[in-house]
Amino acid sequence: MDSALIPRGVKRCPFPQFILFIAIVGAVLLWGVYAMLLCWFKGLNQTNMNDFYGFALWIWADLAVIAVGGGAFFTGLLRYIFGKDDLKNIINYAVLIGFICYSSALLILAIDIGQPLRGWFIFWHANVHSMLTEVAFCLSCYFGVLTIEYIPLVLENRQINKVPFFHHLGHNMHEIMAVFAATGAFLSFFHQGSLGGVAGVLYGRPFAYREGLFIWPWTFFLFTWSAAACGPCFTILVTKITETVTRKKLVKDTAIQLLAKISGWMILTYSIAKTADTWYWATVTVPSLGQTLMDFYSNNPFYGIWILILEIAICGFIPAFILITKKGRKNSAALWIAVFLAVTGVCINRWVMVLQIMAIPVLTFENWVLYLPSWQEIATTILPLAYGVILIAISYRYLPVFPNEPELNPIETLPAEEEEAVEPSVELEQELKPAEA
Amino acid sequence: MFPFSFEWIWDMGHVVFMGGLWYALTILGIGMSYCIIKAAMDACRGNDEHHH
């Protein structure tokens, strides 16, 4: 039914099967949309946020998707600025994943602010003393960059590409993509950093407070570093999941191996820096504020020292050592484990920096306060996941997301299909046009 | 927020924050305008010299 829209040289499942899949995931999406509308029409009393938890599950989800979405800016930086040509085979997918992550982050923020109609206040009535203002600016602008990076892929759809204007537009955008990628890297560096920079002003919360360089606490750099390190792992993880679901090899090993290797070294250096930061914080900063390390990991039913070990050792050093060794990253099972651990590690880091901070008592008469999100918060956090699955499914079906797919998965065409396949497209007509003297 | 808004103050914070925002938006705006105008001109001329 939709064969005219499917890229040439690739095979897709029958249209009814595709629609069924979209309908199932769409039901989850609608559940999230229902919860979102409850939050908008009835207010934030639909959540379990309270005086202790002004940030909730959403803000963790927000920071987590921004961190794992960092694969787009870092892969773009490597591809367009540092000229790593092997990554051209995975850059489309990295951009798509980044686009989903950042649009999800903006959606979550739109729910979280309670009154989305006043969302523009942050631009017009900007509080220029807030790092979160910079985050909002950079996040919105970088989403614009990702949209610009995603548009050429949409324009490469078989039917859209037949329109001369769109064909030329896509080509022109490809030509100056390095400018957009550089702008994206600049914006990403600052908003990832500013999210970590918040810790520098949390003087009243010794668990979070960090010292640093001038106005930037060390967490400013660690947040950017961790996003650049673990974002590509998320790109690899989603690529592997897509390959498993489609039962096809979609990206050449050279691209995956290069990204995994770079990511491995980034994770290793990040983990060393994070260990040094934690050591200094535990031995200098925390005692100077009248507390000890174990104050933050005892006398409560959930947060123990295990979370620190899990974040830095198990989800930091282990994936790093797997990915920096050729043997480790060439082993499929080890690669799966490494990228999964790396992604888990950065999500735990954001959890700790958002939710554990607020669980810890800061006044002598306070106790630990644990947090259980409401179903509306859970549904609206799952909403971006369903949206992401749907957008990936539609993009995979109708757009040439994986340039290596036809080569890696050659298909035997039936006579009827062959007839359809030779239907002249603008591109083919151009290729077959005799050269002019 | 622009310098002609009543809330505007000529200090480092406003210049750096809002200047950074305009700078990024200007690059994206000029880049996209260039692509769109060139695409329209190429399409009008029937310029088919590139394939990708």
Side-chain angles (χ1 to χ4, degrees):
Chain A
M1 183 185 281
D2 60 345
S3 55
L5 294 168
I6 292 173
R8 288 184 188 283
V10 299
K11 193 167 165 54
R12 295 289 179 261
C13 67
F15 188 66
Q17 193 181 334
F18 174 69
I19 288 294
L20 181 67
F21 174 77
I22 295 292
I24 292 167
V25 185
V28 180
L29 183 91
L30 287 177
W31 178 52
V33 169
Y34 173 64
M36 181 180 77
L37 293 175
L38 280 179
C39 292
W40 277 348
F41 287 104
K42 292 193 171 183
L44 292 179
N45 61 358
Q46 299 293 301
T47 72
N48 279 353
M49 286 194 280
N50 52 36
D51 289 345
F52 287 96
Y53 285 92
F55 286 167
L57 188 67
W58 287 329
I59 295 298
W60 163 73
D62 207 57
L63 265 65
V65 294
I66 289 170
V68 295
F73 98 82
F74 193 60
T75 313
L77 187 75
L78 293 170
R79 163 78 180 92
Y80 295 110
I81 310 299
F82 294 113
K84 298 285 179 191
D85 281 339
D86 279 341
L87 298 180
K88 69 179 179 217
N89 299 323
I90 201 169
I91 187 71
N92 286 346
Y93 208 37
V95 166
L96 174 59
I97 293 166
F99 178 84
I100 291 167
C101 287
Y102 276 79
S103 50
S104 299
L106 288 173
L107 176 67
I108 291 169
L109 286 177
I111 303 169
D112 195 25
I113 57 177
Q115 294 205 42
L117 291 178
R118 295 185 183 175
W120 60 277
F121 277 26
I122 202 163
F123 300 101
W124 197 257
H125 306 290
N127 171 10
V128 296
H129 303 291
S130 167
M131 280 198 168
L132 292 181
T133 304
E134 189 207 325
V135 172
F137 284 5
C138 291
L139 208 66
S140 313
C141 290
Y142 186 53
F143 177 63
V145 171
L146 284 168
T147 307
I148 289 171
E149 290 182 344
Y150 181 50
I151 286 172
L153 186 62
V154 176
L155 297 179
E156 281 184 37
N157 172 271
R158 258 172 72 186
Q159 301 305 319
I160 297 175
N161 198 38
K162 284 179 182 173
V163 180
F165 173 74
F166 291 140
H167 173 79
H168 290 294
L169 181 59
H171 177 81
N172 293 339
M173 289 174 78
H174 271 300
E175 269 188 346
I176 61 162
M177 198 52 80
V179 176
F180 296 127
T183 311
F186 169 80
L187 292 166
S188 261
F189 178 84
F190 279 100
H191 77 249
Q192 298 277 5
S194 291
L195 288 170
V198 173
V201 294
L202 293 177
Y203 309 107
R205 294 183 180 273
F207 179 71
Y209 180 63
R210 293 292 192 282
E211 295 163 75
L213 194 67
F214 304 117
I215 61 165
W216 301 286
W218 298 122
T219 40
F220 179 97
F221 305 100
L222 289 173
F223 265 50
T224 305
W225 206 334
S226 58
C230 301
C233 284
F234 186 66
T235 305
I236 297 173
L237 181 65
V238 178
T239 305
K240 289 282 170 196
I241 292 171
T242 312
E243 287 185 337
T244 306
V245 171
T246 58
R247 284 171 286 178
K248 285 180 186 174
K249 185 149 188 64
L250 300 169
V251 179
K252 280 184 178 172
D253 281 338
T254 48
I256 298 282
Q257 293 295 317
L258 177 63
L259 203 55
K261 184 181 170 184
I262 295 170
S263 189
W265 282 106
M266 290 290 289
I267 295 171
L268 181 64
T269 49
Y270 163 73
S271 298
I272 293 168
K274 174 73 183 167
T275 305
D277 172 70
T278 305
W279 187 266
Y280 183 83
W281 163 77
T283 57
V284 179
T285 310
V286 170
S288 74
L289 295 168
Q291 291 198 279
T292 64
L293 176 70
M294 288 313 293
D295 288 347
F296 309 124
Y297 298 103
S298 56
N299 298 323
N300 78 90
F302 183 69
Y303 293 109
I305 197 74
W306 62 267
I307 200 164
L308 187 64
I309 296 167
L310 179 67
E311 182 199 335
I312 300 177
I314 298 172
C315 296
F317 284 106
I318 290 178
F321 288 130
I322 292 174
L323 295 177
I324 61 170
T325 55
K326 198 171 183 180
K327 199 176 170 186
R329 61 177 180 270
K330 276 196 179 286
N331 181 306
S332 179
L335 183 66
W336 266 97
I337 291 169
V339 293
F340 178 76
L341 285 179
V343 170
T344 307
V346 77
C347 291
I348 291 174
N349 174 263
R350 297 322 192 244
W351 179 281
V352 165
M353 294 303 284
V354 171
L355 291 171
Q356 190 179 348
I357 286 173
M358 286 180 282
I360 296 168
V362 288
L363 299 170
T364 51
F365 52 85
E366 284 181 343
N367 293 315
W368 281 79
V369 183
L370 297 184
Y371 169 76
L372 197 64
S374 67
W375 75 263
Q376 291 91 333
E377 285 175 81
I378 293 169
T380 44
T381 304
I382 292 173
L383 161 66
L385 199 68
Y387 149 73
V389 171
I390 290 175
L391 194 56
I392 284 177
I394 293 172
S395 299
Y396 170 72
R397 188 172 179 84
Y398 298 119
L399 306 176
V401 179
F402 300 103
N404 296 139
E405 190 189 346
E407 180 192 340
L408 295 171
N409 307 274
I411 50 171
E412 290 176 20
T413 49
L414 297 170
E417 286 173 335
E418 269 173 10
E419 201 172 307
E420 188 191 333
V422 294
E423 177 194 336
S425 66
V426 169
E427 202 170 311
L428 280 177
E429 279 172 5
Q430 288 161 353
E431 282 169 5
L432 295 172
K433 195 183 283 182
E436 289 178 7
Chain B
M1 191 194 295
F2 292 102
F4 51 77
S5 306
F6 74 94
E7 299 159 90
W8 181 268
I9 302 166
W10 281 103
D11 63 6
M12 189 61 83
H14 281 77
V15 171
V16 170
F17 262 70
M18 302 311 295
L21 176 65
W22 298 329
Y23 173 67
L25 290 175
T26 304
I27 291 176
L28 300 186
I30 291 175
M32 279 308 292
S33 302
Y34 165 79
C35 292
I36 291 169
I37 293 168
K38 190 165 181 288
M41 288 166 66
D42 288 345
C44 290
R45 278 202 300 257
N47 183 359
D48 293 332
E49 66 194 20
H50 49 69
H51 310 286
H52 50 85

